[in-house]
Amino acid sequence: DQQVKQNSPSLSVQEGRISILNCDYTNSMFDYFLWYKKYPAEGPTFLISISSIKDKNEDGRFTVFLNKSAKHLSLHIVPSQPGDSAVYFCAASVDGNNRKLIWGLGTSLAVNP
Amino acid sequence: EPEVTQTPSHQVTQMGQEVILRCVPISNHLYFYWYRQILGQKVEFLVSFYNNEISEKSEIFDDQFSVERPDGSNFTLKIRSTKLEDSAMYFCASSGLGPLHFGNGTRLTVT
């Protein structure tokens, strides 16, 4: 049951360019979305979130866009840095409940110097 | 910055044995969770815990699993009789009103 889908298992980007990570969801009840970043041998680290009342949220180099009609969100990283190389997980929840999160499979981002 | 700490980092056990995975959440957090990730699969919610009781659990969290906050600082996940399919990374997390903060995980290997 893939309620949250990250269709690209990996992405490679040149340093300084934009990284765009995509996420699709099927459950129209989802109203809160988060992006987590994970380095090897570490737990996921919260990056940025967006609630369904917004279509954009920005935090420094990271911007999340939400298209509710398409049930699609994306994470933009600009400019990308080698330290951004990690696995990025999209997660979603219902009723603004960030506690029970439904996760995508993750996209492994490699930023090349 | 406060961290969620998990011990051990790697646990190997034989099928049928009991294991206890330990976590120390961030001290002023009120909500505690366990998630797991089987190799190559998604991170999956197991259970959330608030005010000394389970607030929500998934279908995965059956009778062989239990959680406890025995002393006000530790938060444990017990698997009573481990099965091969319990092999996974187990992540503890805690939160206040904001997003979840995760520990680095315990890799459980059931042989």
Side-chain angles (χ1 to χ4, degrees), chain B:
Chain B
E1 187 176 326
E3 289 183 343
V4 175
T5 55
Q6 290 186 243
T7 54
S9 57
H10 192 185
Q11 174 89 46
V12 182
T13 189
Q14 287 194 323
M15 196 167 52
Q17 296 296 303
E18 175 183 286
V19 293
I20 297 176
L21 309 182
R22 301 182 192 280
C23 170
V24 179
I26 293 173
S27 60
N28 62 350
H29 283 179
L30 300 175
Y31 299 90
F32 314 109
Y33 318 85
W34 285 98
Y35 281 78
R36 79 172 185 191
Q37 185 180 26
I38 295 170
L39 188 64
Q41 298 186 24
K42 293 185 180 189
V43 176
E44 300 172 294
F45 169 79
L46 292 179
V47 66
S48 61
F49 191 86
Y50 171 72
N51 201 23
N52 283 319
E53 60 183 25
I54 291 173
S55 49
E56 199 158 6
K57 61 182 181 178
S58 70
E59 292 172 355
I60 304 166
F61 195 88
D62 61 22
D63 291 345
Q64 70 160 344
F65 291 93
S66 63
V67 289
E68 197 176 34
R69 189 158 158 80
D71 56 11
S73 63
N74 290 285
F75 179 53
T76 61
L77 174 69
K78 182 192 288 186
I79 310 175
R80 256 178 278 284
S81 176
T82 50
K83 303 191 276 264
L84 293 176
E85 54 265 36
D86 294 327
S87 295
M89 278 295 280
Y90 287 80
F91 292 106
C92 173
S94 68
S95 72
L97 297 177
L100 277 67
H101 294 251
F102 285 85
N104 286 337
T106 293
R107 178 168 299 284
L108 176 65
T109 303
V110 183
T111 61

Side-chain angles (χ1 to χ4, degrees), chain A residues 4 36 43 98-101 103, chain B residues 33 35 42 98 100 103-104:
Chain A
V4 176
Y36 277 82
N98 78 26
R99 298 185 283 282
K100 183 180 177 182
L101 300 176
W103 297 69
Chain B
Y33 318 85
Y35 281 78
K42 293 185 180 189
L100 277 67
N104 286 337

